[in-house]
Amino acid sequence: MREAEIRRLLAANLLCAVSIVLAAVVPAFFLDGFSVLGTHLTWLCVCSVSVATLNIILHLVLKPSQSPKRSSFAHKISRFLKCCIYFFMSCILFHAIIVLYGAPLIESVTETFLFAVLLSTFTTLQCLCLLGPNVQAWIRVFSKNGAMSIWESSLQITSVCSILGAWFGAFPIPLDWDRPWQVWPISCSLGATFGYMAGLIIAPLWIHWNRKQLTYKSR
């Protein structure tokens, strides 16, 4: 396994982590009263857009899954539209799952949906950038020993860390501490964000430590 490829992955992941930090700091210079807790819905939008934009740019620049075949313009448009549909469906699915896990059904619909968008940005968008609208490839990647590149291994780790972070973030909500960050969905979205950032750091380190065992044979 080439060290240069691991360094590229590390650099890309660090840029994604920095974009989240900037999303929490930079808007305060342009929006009065902006804060992650005080204007949480605005932050959810800014964070989702920042991470999504950077992921797309990095994919276009680094081309970790570049296909040797050239596709037509019509094929690219069709692929783009499918990706948009898949992302929207992912947001709806995450929204439904979150409600089934106890989120308000009617109240706080906007908060729940924006949280679902954030989760989709941390998970589904990465799948779409790396694998495209190919559900079979998604299933392969998230099956045991299914990753075929360090980018797919990183996708596994960051996606799982994001979902686990959101799940752990729900634990403080029922407690009667009466803290501002216990308001739905602040603790869950912060948990997902910290989980995603942890995954971004853990992934290249784990791949580097296990590089001799990771052969990534083609299937």
Side-chain angles (χ1 to χ4, degrees):
M1 185 182 301
R2 294 182 301 172
E3 290 290 334
E5 193 71 9
I6 298 178
R7 287 195 292 268
R8 288 176 67 200
L9 174 65
L10 177 61
N13 286 7
L14 288 177
L15 283 175
C16 289
V18 170
S19 72
I20 294 177
V21 175
L22 293 178
V25 175
V26 173
F29 294 99
F30 304 97
L31 302 175
D32 293 335
F34 175 87
S35 69
V36 173
L37 298 183
T39 55
H40 192 66
L41 294 186
T42 304
W43 176 79
L44 283 175
C45 295
V46 172
C47 185
S48 298
V49 171
S50 300
V51 174
T53 303
L54 184 59
N55 267 287
I56 294 171
I57 292 174
L58 288 174
H59 172 73
L60 295 175
V61 172
L62 298 178
K63 296 180 172 59
S65 59
Q66 186 176 17
S67 172
K69 297 181 180 179
R70 288 190 174 183
S71 54
S72 64
F73 180 74
H75 176 75
K76 292 179 179 179
I77 294 296
S78 175
R79 181 185 174 94
F80 173 75
L81 293 176
K82 284 183 179 179
C83 288
C84 292
I85 294 172
Y86 277 38
F87 183 79
F88 180 73
M89 290 173 59
S90 171
C91 295
I92 298 297
L93 179 61
F94 270 123
H95 185 103
I97 293 173
I98 293 167
V99 170
L100 290 175
Y101 268 89
L105 177 60
I106 299 177
E107 298 178 356
S108 305
V109 173
T110 304
E111 288 84 348
T112 303
F113 183 75
L114 288 179
F115 173 46
V117 171
L118 185 74
L119 274 179
S120 295
T121 303
F122 290 158
T123 56
T124 307
L125 181 69
Q126 292 190 98
C127 293
L128 291 170
C129 287
L130 188 62
L131 306 171
N134 186 346
V135 177
Q136 294 300 322
W138 297 13
I139 294 173
R140 171 186 58 78
V141 168
F142 289 99
S143 61
K144 185 178 180 180
N145 300 322
M148 294 171 56
S149 68
I150 63 172
W151 300 93
E152 292 182 359
S153 293
S154 178
L155 173 62
Q156 289 177 335
I157 295 171
T158 54
S159 297
V160 171
C161 286
S162 300
I163 293 174
L164 287 177
W167 184 62
F168 282 116
F171 287 177
I173 293 179
L175 302 177
D176 58 352
W177 296 344
D178 197 24
R179 295 288 190 268
W181 51 267
Q182 288 179 276
V183 176
W184 173 255
I186 295 178
S187 63
C188 287
S189 56
L190 290 180
T193 304
F194 287 130
Y196 176 66
M197 294 179 70
L200 291 173
I201 305 301
I202 292 171
L205 296 178
W206 182 87
I207 293 170
H208 176 74
W209 288 332
N210 295 274
R211 63 189 182 280
K212 293 182 180 179
Q213 290 77 28
L214 298 175
T215 56
Y216 297 124
K217 294 180 180 180
S218 299
R219 291 171 175 82

mmCIF file of all heavy atoms in Angstrom, residues 161-189:
data_model
loop_
_atom_site.group_PDB
_atom_site.id
_atom_site.type_symbol
_atom_site.label_atom_id
_atom_site.label_comp_id
_atom_site.label_asym_id
_atom_site.label_seq_id
_atom_site.Cartn_x
_atom_site.Cartn_y
_atom_site.Cartn_z
ATOM 1 N N CYS A 161 -18.917 5.813 12.785
ATOM 2 C CA CYS A 161 -18.655 6.747 13.884
ATOM 3 C C CYS A 161 -19.717 7.841 13.948
ATOM 4 O O CYS A 161 -20.127 8.258 15.044
ATOM 5 C CB CYS A 161 -17.269 7.369 13.728
ATOM 6 S SG CYS A 161 -15.904 6.254 14.115
ATOM 7 N N SER A 162 -20.192 8.317 12.807
ATOM 8 C CA SER A 162 -21.226 9.355 12.783
ATOM 9 C C SER A 162 -22.526 8.849 13.387
ATOM 10 O O SER A 162 -23.153 9.531 14.221
ATOM 11 C CB SER A 162 -21.471 9.813 11.342
ATOM 12 O OG SER A 162 -20.314 10.345 10.769
ATOM 13 N N ILE A 163 -22.933 7.645 12.994
ATOM 14 C CA ILE A 163 -24.190 7.091 13.500
ATOM 15 C C ILE A 163 -24.075 6.769 14.983
ATOM 16 O O ILE A 163 -25.002 7.045 15.774
ATOM 17 C CB ILE A 163 -24.578 5.854 12.683
ATOM 18 C CG1 ILE A 163 -24.918 6.276 11.245
ATOM 19 C CG2 ILE A 163 -25.771 5.138 13.313
ATOM 20 C CD1 ILE A 163 -25.188 5.128 10.312
ATOM 21 N N LEU A 164 -22.942 6.194 15.394
ATOM 22 C CA LEU A 164 -22.747 5.910 16.818
ATOM 23 C C LEU A 164 -22.719 7.199 17.630
ATOM 24 O O LEU A 164 -23.269 7.257 18.740
ATOM 25 C CB LEU A 164 -21.439 5.139 17.022
ATOM 26 C CG LEU A 164 -21.434 3.668 16.593
ATOM 27 C CD1 LEU A 164 -20.054 3.054 16.798
ATOM 28 C CD2 LEU A 164 -22.489 2.873 17.368
ATOM 29 N N GLY A 165 -22.083 8.243 17.093
ATOM 30 C CA GLY A 165 -22.055 9.523 17.789
ATOM 31 C C GLY A 165 -23.444 10.099 17.981
ATOM 32 O O GLY A 165 -23.768 10.623 19.057
ATOM 33 N N ALA A 166 -24.289 9.997 16.958
ATOM 34 C CA ALA A 166 -25.675 10.479 17.068
ATOM 35 C C ALA A 166 -26.442 9.675 18.108
ATOM 36 O O ALA A 166 -27.242 10.227 18.872
ATOM 37 C CB ALA A 166 -26.361 10.383 15.708
ATOM 38 N N TRP A 167 -26.206 8.368 18.135
ATOM 39 C CA TRP A 167 -26.905 7.502 19.087
ATOM 40 C C TRP A 167 -26.491 7.823 20.520
ATOM 41 O O TRP A 167 -27.337 7.976 21.403
ATOM 42 C CB TRP A 167 -26.604 6.047 18.751
ATOM 43 C CG TRP A 167 -27.349 5.059 19.601
ATOM 44 C CD1 TRP A 167 -28.694 4.899 19.687
ATOM 45 C CD2 TRP A 167 -26.771 4.091 20.491
ATOM 46 N NE1 TRP A 167 -29.001 3.882 20.571
ATOM 47 C CE2 TRP A 167 -27.842 3.371 21.074
ATOM 48 C CE3 TRP A 167 -25.463 3.768 20.832
ATOM 49 C CZ2 TRP A 167 -27.624 2.357 21.999
ATOM 50 C CZ3 TRP A 167 -25.255 2.742 21.740
ATOM 51 C CH2 TRP A 167 -26.328 2.052 22.319
ATOM 52 N N PHE A 168 -25.185 7.960 20.755
ATOM 53 C CA PHE A 168 -24.717 8.305 22.095
ATOM 54 C C PHE A 168 -25.153 9.709 22.490
ATOM 55 O O PHE A 168 -25.367 9.994 23.680
ATOM 56 C CB PHE A 168 -23.193 8.192 22.173
ATOM 57 C CG PHE A 168 -22.689 6.783 22.296
ATOM 58 C CD1 PHE A 168 -21.899 6.227 21.292
ATOM 59 C CD2 PHE A 168 -23.005 6.005 23.399
ATOM 60 C CE1 PHE A 168 -21.437 4.919 21.393
ATOM 61 C CE2 PHE A 168 -22.548 4.704 23.510
ATOM 62 C CZ PHE A 168 -21.763 4.153 22.515
ATOM 63 N N GLY A 169 -25.283 10.583 21.503
ATOM 64 C CA GLY A 169 -25.707 11.945 21.802
ATOM 65 C C GLY A 169 -27.128 12.040 22.326
ATOM 66 O O GLY A 169 -27.505 13.054 22.926
ATOM 67 N N ALA A 170 -27.930 10.997 22.090
ATOM 68 C CA ALA A 170 -29.316 11.010 22.569
ATOM 69 C C ALA A 170 -29.426 10.683 24.056
ATOM 70 O O ALA A 170 -30.458 10.955 24.673
ATOM 71 C CB ALA A 170 -30.151 10.009 21.771
ATOM 72 N N PHE A 171 -28.396 10.119 24.653
ATOM 73 C CA PHE A 171 -28.474 9.692 26.048
ATOM 74 C C PHE A 171 -28.773 10.827 27.031
ATOM 75 O O PHE A 171 -29.561 10.648 27.953
ATOM 76 C CB PHE A 171 -27.174 8.980 26.457
ATOM 77 C CG PHE A 171 -27.019 7.604 25.866
ATOM 78 C CD1 PHE A 171 -25.870 6.863 26.083
ATOM 79 C CD2 PHE A 171 -28.008 7.041 25.076
ATOM 80 C CE1 PHE A 171 -25.712 5.597 25.534
ATOM 81 C CE2 PHE A 171 -27.875 5.782 24.516
ATOM 82 C CZ PHE A 171 -26.720 5.057 24.749
ATOM 83 N N PRO A 172 -28.156 12.035 26.869
ATOM 84 C CA PRO A 172 -28.409 13.091 27.876
ATOM 85 C C PRO A 172 -29.782 13.750 27.759
ATOM 86 O O PRO A 172 -30.186 14.455 28.689
ATOM 87 C CB PRO A 172 -27.301 14.116 27.591
ATOM 88 C CG PRO A 172 -26.331 13.442 26.690
ATOM 89 C CD PRO A 172 -27.102 12.433 25.930
ATOM 90 N N ILE A 173 -30.493 13.558 26.649
ATOM 91 C CA ILE A 173 -31.747 14.302 26.440
ATOM 92 C C ILE A 173 -32.772 14.054 27.541
ATOM 93 O O ILE A 173 -33.397 15.004 28.040
ATOM 94 C CB ILE A 173 -32.327 13.985 25.043
ATOM 95 C CG1 ILE A 173 -31.422 14.545 23.961
ATOM 96 C CG2 ILE A 173 -33.739 14.558 24.892
ATOM 97 C CD1 ILE A 173 -31.891 14.280 22.541
ATOM 98 N N PRO A 174 -33.017 12.798 27.972
ATOM 99 C CA PRO A 174 -34.052 12.587 29.002
ATOM 100 C C PRO A 174 -33.650 13.026 30.406
ATOM 101 O O PRO A 174 -34.515 13.104 31.297
ATOM 102 C CB PRO A 174 -34.273 11.063 28.977
ATOM 103 C CG PRO A 174 -33.503 10.539 27.829
ATOM 104 C CD PRO A 174 -32.468 11.534 27.500
ATOM 105 N N LEU A 175 -32.369 13.298 30.638
ATOM 106 C CA LEU A 175 -31.915 13.660 31.978
ATOM 107 C C LEU A 175 -32.415 15.055 32.351
ATOM 108 O O LEU A 175 -32.544 15.927 31.507
ATOM 109 C CB LEU A 175 -30.386 13.607 32.035
ATOM 110 C CG LEU A 175 -29.755 12.249 31.664
ATOM 111 C CD1 LEU A 175 -28.243 12.350 31.700
ATOM 112 C CD2 LEU A 175 -30.242 11.148 32.599
ATOM 113 N N ASP A 176 -32.688 15.252 33.632
ATOM 114 C CA ASP A 176 -33.281 16.514 34.096
ATOM 115 C C ASP A 176 -32.217 17.522 34.501
ATOM 116 O O ASP A 176 -32.330 18.188 35.525
ATOM 117 C CB ASP A 176 -34.237 16.253 35.270
ATOM 118 C CG ASP A 176 -33.548 15.562 36.442
ATOM 119 O OD1 ASP A 176 -32.377 15.152 36.276
ATOM 120 O OD2 ASP A 176 -34.173 15.431 37.507
ATOM 121 N N TRP A 177 -31.182 17.658 33.682
ATOM 122 C CA TRP A 177 -30.132 18.626 33.974
ATOM 123 C C TRP A 177 -30.536 20.040 33.565
ATOM 124 O O TRP A 177 -29.962 21.011 34.031
ATOM 125 C CB TRP A 177 -28.846 18.239 33.246
ATOM 126 C CG TRP A 177 -28.269 16.944 33.696
ATOM 127 C CD1 TRP A 177 -28.578 16.262 34.842
ATOM 128 C CD2 TRP A 177 -27.282 16.167 33.015
ATOM 129 N NE1 TRP A 177 -27.845 15.113 34.915
ATOM 130 C CE2 TRP A 177 -27.030 15.014 33.801
ATOM 131 C CE3 TRP A 177 -26.581 16.313 31.825
ATOM 132 C CZ2 TRP A 177 -26.115 14.040 33.429
ATOM 133 C CZ3 TRP A 177 -25.673 15.346 31.447
ATOM 134 C CH2 TRP A 177 -25.439 14.223 32.252
ATOM 135 N N ASP A 178 -31.518 20.128 32.669
ATOM 136 C CA ASP A 178 -32.023 21.421 32.196
ATOM 137 C C ASP A 178 -30.902 22.291 31.615
ATOM 138 O O ASP A 178 -30.762 23.461 31.950
ATOM 139 C CB ASP A 178 -32.728 22.161 33.336
ATOM 140 C CG ASP A 178 -33.607 23.293 32.817
ATOM 141 O OD1 ASP A 178 -34.027 23.219 31.645
ATOM 142 O OD2 ASP A 178 -33.871 24.243 33.580
ATOM 143 N N ARG A 179 -30.133 21.684 30.717
ATOM 144 C CA ARG A 179 -29.051 22.404 30.048
ATOM 145 C C ARG A 179 -29.503 22.803 28.640
ATOM 146 O O ARG A 179 -30.304 22.103 28.021
ATOM 147 C CB ARG A 179 -27.795 21.526 29.944
ATOM 148 C CG ARG A 179 -27.195 21.186 31.303
ATOM 149 C CD ARG A 179 -26.527 22.423 31.918
ATOM 150 N NE ARG A 179 -25.744 22.065 33.090
ATOM 151 C CZ ARG A 179 -26.202 22.079 34.326
ATOM 152 N NH1 ARG A 179 -27.467 22.419 34.551
ATOM 153 N NH2 ARG A 179 -25.426 21.771 35.337
ATOM 154 N N PRO A 180 -29.001 23.931 28.116
ATOM 155 C CA PRO A 180 -29.426 24.380 26.773
ATOM 156 C C PRO A 180 -29.121 23.351 25.682
ATOM 157 O O PRO A 180 -29.884 23.224 24.723
ATOM 158 C CB PRO A 180 -28.607 25.664 26.563
ATOM 159 C CG PRO A 180 -28.256 26.138 27.939
ATOM 160 C CD PRO A 180 -28.097 24.901 28.763
ATOM 161 N N TRP A 181 -28.022 22.604 25.815
ATOM 162 C CA TRP A 181 -27.643 21.661 24.772
ATOM 163 C C TRP A 181 -28.457 20.377 24.806
ATOM 164 O O TRP A 181 -28.266 19.497 23.965
ATOM 165 C CB TRP A 181 -26.150 21.339 24.840
ATOM 166 C CG TRP A 181 -25.660 20.934 26.201
ATOM 167 C CD1 TRP A 181 -25.124 21.756 27.149
ATOM 168 C CD2 TRP A 181 -25.673 19.623 26.765
ATOM 169 N NE1 TRP A 181 -24.791 21.042 28.269
ATOM 170 C CE2 TRP A 181 -25.119 19.719 28.064
ATOM 171 C CE3 TRP A 181 -26.095 18.374 26.309
ATOM 172 C CZ2 TRP A 181 -24.978 18.619 28.906
ATOM 173 C CZ3 TRP A 181 -25.963 17.272 27.150
ATOM 174 C CH2 TRP A 181 -25.410 17.402 28.427
ATOM 175 N N GLN A 182 -29.377 20.259 25.789
ATOM 176 C CA GLN A 182 -30.243 19.088 25.832
ATOM 177 C C GLN A 182 -31.501 19.254 24.980
ATOM 178 O O GLN A 182 -32.272 18.318 24.823
ATOM 179 C CB GLN A 182 -30.654 18.776 27.269
ATOM 180 C CG GLN A 182 -29.533 18.203 28.120
ATOM 181 C CD GLN A 182 -29.981 17.929 29.545
ATOM 182 O OE1 GLN A 182 -29.977 18.822 30.392
ATOM 183 N NE2 GLN A 182 -30.381 16.701 29.810
ATOM 184 N N VAL A 183 -31.701 20.441 24.447
ATOM 185 C CA VAL A 183 -32.856 20.683 23.588
ATOM 186 C C VAL A 183 -32.685 19.905 22.285
ATOM 187 O O VAL A 183 -31.590 19.884 21.701
ATOM 188 C CB VAL A 183 -33.012 22.191 23.299
ATOM 189 C CG1 VAL A 183 -34.164 22.440 22.329
ATOM 190 C CG2 VAL A 183 -33.197 22.963 24.588
ATOM 191 N N TRP A 184 -33.769 19.254 21.842
ATOM 192 C CA TRP A 184 -33.701 18.473 20.610
ATOM 193 C C TRP A 184 -33.415 19.368 19.409
ATOM 194 O O TRP A 184 -34.012 20.443 19.296
ATOM 195 C CB TRP A 184 -35.030 17.726 20.399
ATOM 196 C CG TRP A 184 -35.134 17.034 19.081
ATOM 197 C CD1 TRP A 184 -35.855 17.419 17.998
ATOM 198 C CD2 TRP A 184 -34.475 15.814 18.716
ATOM 199 N NE1 TRP A 184 -35.680 16.545 16.967
ATOM 200 C CE2 TRP A 184 -34.839 15.546 17.377
ATOM 201 C CE3 TRP A 184 -33.603 14.944 19.366
ATOM 202 C CZ2 TRP A 184 -34.367 14.436 16.701
ATOM 203 C CZ3 TRP A 184 -33.141 13.848 18.702
ATOM 204 C CH2 TRP A 184 -33.533 13.597 17.376
ATOM 205 N N PRO A 185 -32.519 18.996 18.471
ATOM 206 C CA PRO A 185 -31.678 17.786 18.445
ATOM 207 C C PRO A 185 -30.210 18.095 18.721
ATOM 208 O O PRO A 185 -29.326 17.471 18.130
ATOM 209 C CB PRO A 185 -31.867 17.320 17.021
ATOM 210 C CG PRO A 185 -31.885 18.629 16.236
ATOM 211 C CD PRO A 185 -32.485 19.681 17.157
ATOM 212 N N ILE A 186 -29.945 19.101 19.573
ATOM 213 C CA ILE A 186 -28.579 19.621 19.693
ATOM 214 C C ILE A 186 -27.584 18.537 20.095
ATOM 215 O O ILE A 186 -26.539 18.366 19.454
ATOM 216 C CB ILE A 186 -28.551 20.796 20.699
ATOM 217 C CG1 ILE A 186 -29.359 21.974 20.164
ATOM 218 C CG2 ILE A 186 -27.115 21.220 20.977
ATOM 219 C CD1 ILE A 186 -29.438 23.157 21.101
ATOM 220 N N SER A 187 -27.886 17.800 21.160
ATOM 221 C CA SER A 187 -26.911 16.814 21.627
ATOM 222 C C SER A 187 -26.689 15.709 20.598
ATOM 223 O O SER A 187 -25.567 15.211 20.434
ATOM 224 C CB SER A 187 -27.371 16.213 22.961
ATOM 225 O OG SER A 187 -28.593 15.515 22.812
ATOM 226 N N CYS A 188 -27.744 15.332 19.875
ATOM 227 C CA CYS A 188 -27.602 14.285 18.857
ATOM 228 C C CYS A 188 -26.775 14.774 17.674
ATOM 229 O O CYS A 188 -25.908 14.045 17.164
ATOM 230 C CB CYS A 188 -28.977 13.832 18.379
ATOM 231 S SG CYS A 188 -29.886 12.834 19.577
ATOM 232 N N SER A 189 -27.044 15.982 17.212
ATOM 233 C CA SER A 189 -26.300 16.500 16.064
ATOM 234 C C SER A 189 -24.845 16.769 16.431
ATOM 235 O O SER A 189 -23.933 16.517 15.626
ATOM 236 C CB SER A 189 -26.965 17.769 15.526
ATOM 237 O OG SER A 189 -27.088 18.739 16.539
#
